[in-house]
Amino acid sequence: MFVDMPLDQLRVYRPGRAEPQQFDAFWAATLAQAQDQAGPTTADLIETGQIHVDTYDVTFTGFAGQPVKAWLRVPKNANAPLPAVVEYLGYGDGRGPGIEPSIWSSLGYVHVLMDSRGQSSRYGGADTFDGDIAPQVGGVMTRGIASPETYYYRRLFTDPVRAVEITRELEVVDADRVVVRGGSQGGGIALAVAGLSRDLAGAMIDVPFLCHYRRATQITDEYPYRELSDYLQWRRNDTDQVFATLAHFDGVNFSPRATAPALFSVGLMDPVCPPSTVFAAYNHWGGTDKDIRVWEYNAHDGGAVDQLRAQIPFLTRVTGAEDPEHNTVRADSRLAS
């Protein structure tokens, strides 16, 4: 069933934002620290048996100089430099085995799939610790929630900004043609990165999680937002402090800072990320080149393969991939960082 406002109300839903006074300073300091503590990036070619794609096991440094894993997939024998898609994963997901195919590399894009620190599940195993904590199955929504400095998503939002930075440093990549992409938690991460990184070519944001937290906890009982409700059920006096922390990580506050071309998706029957939380972020988006695909009878799949069909021409347009001049630079260029 429809789980939220009528569509005509959603299209104009633009709630006020509870933005912390030091929002920009907080993130500038966090990202500067990660830059200062950055170490070398390694990329090791692995054997997958795939004849059209070279796959590399990448380790780069994210928050506090801590190691983060990613898969890097490069179209074999492609002319470089190429446009790139940096992709982030859904809640509880890990990067999984490197043998899994990638639609993006098969279409001629460099594809970076970032592991989510400390998360793992049946959907995909993770190889990245959260500092000293091994990947776990189960929720992380309240890990460190007592303050913005200790909150889990401070670390997880820093890693993907660094992933964009290291992608731009690859010789095989055209630094001006990097697009971020993700669904659910990955959509929320891509949204945050679009607000924190400059000069992205585009952002593909599907059914984003991590937006408009307070309303989400008030209109859905679904997990992962339910983790916040479970936490506050027995910490009744911590409500204001919890949402003060979450304001530093709310997609509604990153959106006005994002100016890249954007393609969103939303399912009107989505109980996990209710439509009003998605539209709240979309309607605050700072750029004018934006669109949202509304899937009336879909839930958290957000249009699935049909949304993918819409993303392919969007990606072609924003990266200029239809222009042969962009893809005929150096046939002998390979990976370097």
Side-chain angles (χ1 to χ4, degrees):
M1 66 179 184
F2 294 145
V3 297
D4 211 327
M5 306 174 186
L7 182 57
D8 59 344
Q9 294 179 28
L10 290 169
R11 290 197 181 278
V12 296
Y13 182 61
R14 199 169 184 271
R17 297 184 300 110
E19 181 181 303
Q21 186 174 2
Q22 299 299 315
F23 184 90
D24 290 320
F26 171 83
W27 280 108
T30 297
L31 298 178
Q33 180 190 41
Q35 281 276 12
D36 290 344
Q37 296 178 313
T41 298
T42 63
D44 300 315
L45 183 66
I46 67 169
E47 179 55 52
T48 66
Q50 297 178 27
I51 62 175
H52 298 299
V53 176
D54 288 328
T55 299
Y56 297 83
D57 184 359
V58 172
T59 304
F60 68 94
T61 52
F63 178 84
Q66 296 165 354
V68 179
K69 303 294 288 184
W71 293 122
L72 168 64
R73 298 181 174 99
V74 181
K76 195 169 288 190
N77 301 320
N79 295 331
L82 297 171
V85 175
V86 182
E87 184 169 6
Y88 311 114
L89 293 163
Y91 193 73
D93 207 352
R95 67 173 184 159
I99 196 171
E100 292 180 330
S102 159
I103 180 66
W104 309 115
S105 57
S106 69
L107 290 170
Y109 299 89
V110 172
H111 179 220
V112 175
L113 179 66
M114 191 195 82
D115 213 12
S116 295
R117 61 165 59 225
Q119 297 189 36
S120 192
S121 77
R122 63 186 176 86
Y123 299 110
D127 300 307
T128 304
F129 280 44
D130 182 17
D132 296 328
I133 303 173
Q136 70 184 57
V137 173
V140 293
M141 279 295 288
T142 59
R143 182 182 290 178
I145 203 167
S147 77
E149 288 74 20
T150 59
Y151 189 44
Y152 170 80
Y153 280 96
R154 182 188 183 208
R155 303 186 291 280
L156 189 58
F157 283 0
T158 300
D159 296 344
V161 174
R162 289 282 302 133
V164 168
E165 292 169 355
I166 67 103
T167 298
R168 284 173 163 161
E169 294 170 359
L170 300 174
E171 185 178 338
V172 75
V173 170
D174 183 341
D176 294 328
R177 295 194 290 159
V178 175
V179 174
V180 293
R181 189 259 176 183
S184 193
Q185 176 186 257
I189 294 173
L191 198 162
V193 173
L196 292 170
S197 299
R198 302 278 73 82
D199 302 322
L200 290 172
M204 300 186 295
I205 300 170
D206 291 331
V207 291
F209 181 46
L210 308 169
C211 297
H212 208 9
Y213 290 92
R214 192 148 197 166
R215 176 168 173 81
T217 61
Q218 293 170 351
I219 65 172
T220 183
D221 279 332
E222 294 288 331
Y223 291 99
Y225 282 122
R226 175 65 179 271
E227 292 179 30
L228 298 173
S229 304
D230 290 345
Y231 182 88
L232 290 172
Q233 182 176 6
W234 297 107
R235 293 168 176 83
R236 303 175 185 92
N237 297 322
D238 293 346
T239 300
D240 290 344
Q241 171 268 310
V242 163
F243 286 105
T245 291
L246 292 173
H248 294 77
F249 308 94
D250 196 327
V252 172
N253 290 332
F254 289 113
S255 265
R257 294 165 168 82
T259 58
L263 178 61
F264 281 65
S265 71
V266 63
L268 296 189
M269 293 186 171
D270 187 351
V272 178
C273 296
S276 60
T277 68
V278 176
F279 272 97
Y282 175 77
N283 289 333
H284 275 293
W285 191 264
T288 57
D289 185 352
K290 65 178 184 178
D291 188 20
I292 185 167
R293 298 301 173 98
V294 177
W295 302 102
E296 185 177 4
Y297 284 96
N298 287 87
H300 200 50
D301 63 302
V305 68
D306 286 303
Q307 180 67 19
L308 181 61
R309 292 180 195 275
Q311 289 176 337
I312 293 172
F314 170 83
L315 189 57
T316 300
R317 175 175 69 84
V318 299
T319 62
E322 77 283 354
D323 184 353
E325 183 178 338
H326 275 155
N327 295 311
T328 56
V329 183
R330 290 190 311 277
D332 61 345
S333 291
R334 300 307 297 155
L335 179 67
S337 63

